[in-house]
Amino acid sequence: MVKHIVTFKLSGAPEERKEVAQSFKNALMALPSQIDVLEGMEVGLNENPAESWDIVLIATVKTMADVDVYAKHPAHVAAASIIKNNKVDRACVDFEY
């Protein structure tokens, strides 16, 4: 199994960042029913105003090859487009467990 963990930092006023983050979260949470390789999806919105990262997602798939299938799936590409105008930074870690 593979955990795909991604964090995002968004631009904009705090309220705008929250709205964009919530829309993105909603789209991500719908992905397991649309992408067969997704075993699970967790999405968290940062609630600590002292921190600068806005969103974290943890996707679970069976293989590293499935990470690529997930990333290129049209439903994932559409979800990612929600934050394209606000995304300042992204960090990712993929690991087998």
Side-chain angles (χ1 to χ4, degrees), residues 63-94:
T63 68
M64 288 300 292
D66 289 337
V67 174
D68 192 50
V69 171
Y70 155 74
K72 293 178 180 175
H73 192 282
H76 173 262
V77 172
S81 73
I82 292 170
I83 63 168
K84 72 177 182 179
N85 293 329
N86 296 82
K87 183 175 68 173
V88 173
D89 208 352
R90 174 188 179 275
C92 177
V93 174
D94 295 315

Side-chain angles (χ1 to χ4, degrees), residues 3-8 53 57 67 90-95:
K3 292 278 188 183
H4 171 71
I5 302 173
V6 187
T7 61
F8 298 91
W53 291 85
L57 76 85
V67 174
R90 174 188 179 275
C92 177
V93 174
D94 295 315
F95 66 92

Side-chain angles (χ1 to χ4, degrees), residues 5-92:
I5 302 173
V6 187
T7 61
F8 298 91
K9 189 180 294 188
L10 303 177
S11 65
E15 199 55 41
E16 178 186 8
R17 289 172 34 218
K18 274 186 171 180
E19 287 178 25
V20 171
Q22 186 62 58
S23 293
F24 187 45
K25 177 181 179 176
N26 294 344
L28 290 171
M29 293 305 294
L31 293 180
S33 67
Q34 301 172 53
I35 304 175
D36 290 342
V37 299
L38 273 178
E39 299 286 320
M41 174 70 75
E42 297 175 69
V43 181
L45 305 182
N46 185 25
E47 296 178 24
N48 184 347
E51 298 297 333
S52 61
W53 291 85
D54 297 287
I55 307 162
V56 63
L57 76 85
I58 303 168
T60 305
V61 295
K62 289 184 180 175
T63 68
M64 288 300 292
D66 289 337
V67 174
D68 192 50
V69 171
Y70 155 74
K72 293 178 180 175
H73 192 282
H76 173 262
V77 172
S81 73
I82 292 170
I83 63 168
K84 72 177 182 179
N85 293 329
N86 296 82
K87 183 175 68 173
V88 173
D89 208 352
R90 174 188 179 275
C92 177

